[in-house]
């Protein structure tokens, strides 16, 4: 009788472990599929984590690609001004601030607005989704720093 109970407990443990792993897999798939569905493939770059914003600007916006810290007539500075884009760099949590700045810089320079979001965690993709929901034509560049 004792052997039978022990065998049943082992079977129950195996079933519970299997069901738990199945639930975790389903929930993580739902989280990533519902939370982040990109409209398009973004230009992504993987860079060293833990750096300040200026590091990512200098690495991404090289001299042959664009002008760093381009000063406008009102003393505001575009992080990176290229042939087509006025790009504002910021960490993902400051997504709203970067949207406002990029729209302003685009208006002042006659370029298209763009943001380069610096993601420090996989969960930061939710901020990319927030910008997508605005549907205002802002180009999104992603810098993975995790």
């Amino acid at each position: 009788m004792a052997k039978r109970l022990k065998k049943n407990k082992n079977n129950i443990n195996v079933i519970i472990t299997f069901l738990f792993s199945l639930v975790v897999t389903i929930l993580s798939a739902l989280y990533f599929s519902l939370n982040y569905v990109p409209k398009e493939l973004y230009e992504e770059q993987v860079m060293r984590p833990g750096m300040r914003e200026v590091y990512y600007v200098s690495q991404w916006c090289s001299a042959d690609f664009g002008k760093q810290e381009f000063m406008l007539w009102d003393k505001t500075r575009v992080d990176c001004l290229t042939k087509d884009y006025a790009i504002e760099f910021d960490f993902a949590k400051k997504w709203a601030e970067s949207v406002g700045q990029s729209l302003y810089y685009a208006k002042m320079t006659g370029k298209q607005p763009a943001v380069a979001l610096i993601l420090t965690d996989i969960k930061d993709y939710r901020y990319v989704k927030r910008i997508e929901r605005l549907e205002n034509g802002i180009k999104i560049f992603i810098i993975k720093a995790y």
Side-chain angles (χ1 to χ4, degrees):
M1 183 81 168
K3 285 184 180 181
R4 192 177 212 183
L5 285 175
K6 190 174 184 179
K7 189 174 184 179
N8 285 342
K9 278 187 176 182
N10 285 341
N11 288 341
I12 290 171
N13 285 340
V14 168
I15 291 170
I16 289 172
T17 303
F18 172 76
L19 290 175
F20 180 76
S21 64
L22 182 65
V23 167
V24 167
T25 303
I26 291 170
L27 288 176
S28 64
L30 281 174
Y31 174 78
F32 287 112
S33 66
L34 294 177
N35 189 36
Y36 181 67
V37 182
K39 286 195 245 177
E40 59 190 66
L41 295 175
Y42 295 111
E43 291 182 35
E44 290 186 354
Q45 284 190 330
V46 178
M47 291 190 187
R48 196 167 128 193
M51 303 303 287
R52 295 177 57 205
E53 180 186 318
V54 69
Y55 167 81
Y56 300 110
V57 174
S58 67
Q59 293 297 306
W60 197 88
C61 187
S62 61
D64 57 332
F65 181 69
K67 297 175 187 171
Q68 294 179 34
E69 295 293 322
F70 181 80
M71 188 180 294
L72 299 175
W73 64 271
D74 62 354
K75 305 291 185 204
T76 57
R77 294 176 187 258
V78 182
D79 287 337
C80 183
L81 188 66
T82 69
K83 182 180 95 173
D84 299 319
Y85 298 104
I87 307 169
E88 173 61 24
F89 282 71
D90 238 323
F91 289 94
K93 290 180 182 179
K94 293 168 63 178
W95 68 274
E97 202 173 301
S98 67
V99 166
Q101 285 179 279
S102 70
L103 289 172
Y104 178 75
Y105 297 150
K107 181 76 171 177
M108 300 308 291
T109 61
K111 310 285 184 180
Q112 295 177 22
V115 295
L117 284 186
I118 304 163
L119 310 182
T120 58
D121 190 292
I122 189 81
K123 294 177 185 175
D124 285 346
Y125 276 99
R126 66 181 178 232
Y127 301 115
V128 175
K129 187 65 182 167
R130 290 178 187 178
I131 296 174
E132 285 179 352
R133 287 185 188 122
L134 296 175
E135 296 181 4
N136 55 10
I138 294 177
K139 174 80 172 168
I140 303 170
F141 298 101
I142 294 175
I143 297 173
K144 290 183 181 179
Y146 55 88

